[in-house]
Amino acid sequence: MVATKNGVRPYTIQRRRVVLIFSQPEYEGIRIEARLDVDLRTFLDLQQLAGASDADSESLRAAFTMFGDEILDTWNLQDDDGTVLTPDAEGFLSLPPSLGTAILGAWSEAATTAGEASASE
């Protein structure tokens, strides 16, 4: 039985997940699964680190590390030598800059858009 307070049942927040599928030819076939509904603190910290106009390399590293460790769940990425990249900060930081920023941008867009729990860029 769910505890009530003053006869009102608590509302349970449903945390969504997202599948990022990229339509750009160079990213065709990439599939990334991530937590979509993170806590507001994590979202704001990530936005501040990644979006600051005066972002230095350490701020960007912190943003990519946070994404890799706290938001990223799975992906189907491997390096050109066949090495499977782990879906964590270490794997995320080994990506080419254009792919890393595309992933972060697609996730940010999905996280701020109400509705479907999947996104394409």
Side-chain angles (χ1 to χ4, degrees):
M1 175 104 186
V2 176
T4 62
K5 184 172 184 173
N6 298 330
V8 177
R9 298 177 89 182
Y11 178 81
T12 302
I13 299 170
Q14 300 295 318
R15 303 286 181 163
R16 299 173 300 152
R17 307 181 72 63
V18 66
V19 175
L20 301 174
I21 301 170
F22 296 85
S23 60
Q24 297 101 319
E26 65 271 28
Y27 300 143
E28 185 177 342
I30 292 177
R31 180 182 165 91
I32 298 170
E33 296 180 31
R35 295 175 49 214
L36 184 60
D37 291 327
V38 297
D39 61 73
L40 194 51
R41 181 178 301 107
T42 299
F43 177 77
L44 293 173
D45 288 348
L46 187 62
Q47 294 298 307
Q48 180 181 11
L49 289 168
S53 60
D54 61 345
D56 57 29
S57 62
E58 285 309 309
S59 294
L60 291 174
R61 179 185 300 273
F64 289 134
T65 298
M66 178 183 289
F67 184 85
D69 282 343
E70 297 183 31
I71 298 169
L72 183 61
D73 280 333
T74 64
W75 61 18
N76 63 341
L77 299 179
Q78 67 180 27
D79 217 336
D80 57 357
D81 66 0
T83 303
V84 174
L85 301 177
T86 57
D88 57 16
E90 183 177 339
F92 199 77
L93 288 170
S94 71
L95 298 176
S98 59
L99 179 54
T101 56
I103 292 168
L104 192 57
W107 178 86
S108 293
E109 183 178 328
T112 57
T113 304
E116 297 290 320
S118 65
S120 296
E121 181 166 294

